[in-house]
Amino acid sequence: MFKPYVTAVVFVVTAVPSLLQFALPGLEPAWMRDPAAISGGEWWRLGTALVVQDGGVFGVLFNLAFLAVIGYAAERAFGPGRWLLLYASGAIAGEAAGYLLNDPGAGNSIALCGLADLHGFALPAGVLAGWAGAYARTTPARTA
C-alpha cells in the first residue's frame, strides 16, 4: 500500500509552526518573508516563511488541507524525490518573486501551487483529451 511519507513530514513541519503562531503571536512576524529584514541579512526568512501562514485560521486550515490532498496525489504520481523537487521549485520561485517585488508575506501556498500546476500538466494525455473533447462538445462554434 502506498504511504506518502514526504507529504506527511512536510505536513507536520508546516502544521506545527502554523498552529503555534496562534499561541505565540510574535512567531509569524518573526518568521515571515520581510524583504527589508532579508536585505539586512536574515536570509533564513525565505525558508521559515513557508511554515507560518499569513491568512489567519482560514489560511492555515486551507493550506494544510490543500497540502494533504495535492501532496498525496503528487507524491503518488511522481514519487518522493520528484515531489520534493516540485515543492522546492515552487517555494524558491515564489519566495524569490516575493523578495524581488518587495512583498512581505508568509505561507506555503506558492509551493503548493507549484505542485498542483505541475501535477495538472502531467495528467495522462487521455484525460486532457477527454476534457478538450467535452469542452468542444459544449462550446458553440464561432463564426467569422
Side-chain angles (χ1 to χ4, degrees):
M1 177 172 189
F2 172 73
K3 294 183 180 160
Y5 293 113
V6 173
T7 299
V9 168
V10 172
F11 184 92
V12 170
V13 167
T14 304
V16 170
S18 291
L19 295 171
L20 274 177
Q21 75 186 35
F22 298 115
L24 305 169
L27 185 62
E28 181 204 333
W31 284 16
M32 68 186 281
R33 181 186 59 254
D34 178 350
I38 293 167
S39 293
E42 296 181 13
W43 287 97
W44 47 268
R45 286 176 176 263
L46 292 170
T48 58
L50 296 167
V51 296
V52 292
Q53 313 295 323
D54 62 5
V57 173
F58 178 76
V60 169
L61 295 177
F62 183 82
N63 280 358
L64 290 176
F66 193 48
L67 172 58
V69 172
I70 196 66
Y72 174 88
E75 188 170 356
R76 186 171 186 147
F78 302 123
R82 287 189 186 129
W83 189 104
L84 282 170
L85 180 64
L86 297 174
Y87 189 86
S89 297
I92 291 166
E95 291 302 315
Y99 173 71
L100 294 172
L101 295 171
N102 200 31
D103 184 25
N108 66 330
S109 56
I110 193 66
L112 295 173
C113 287
L115 268 182
D117 288 346
L118 293 170
H119 188 254
F121 285 125
L123 285 173
V127 172
L128 294 177
W131 287 346
Y135 178 77
R137 287 189 297 276
T138 60
T139 306
R142 294 185 191 188
T143 56

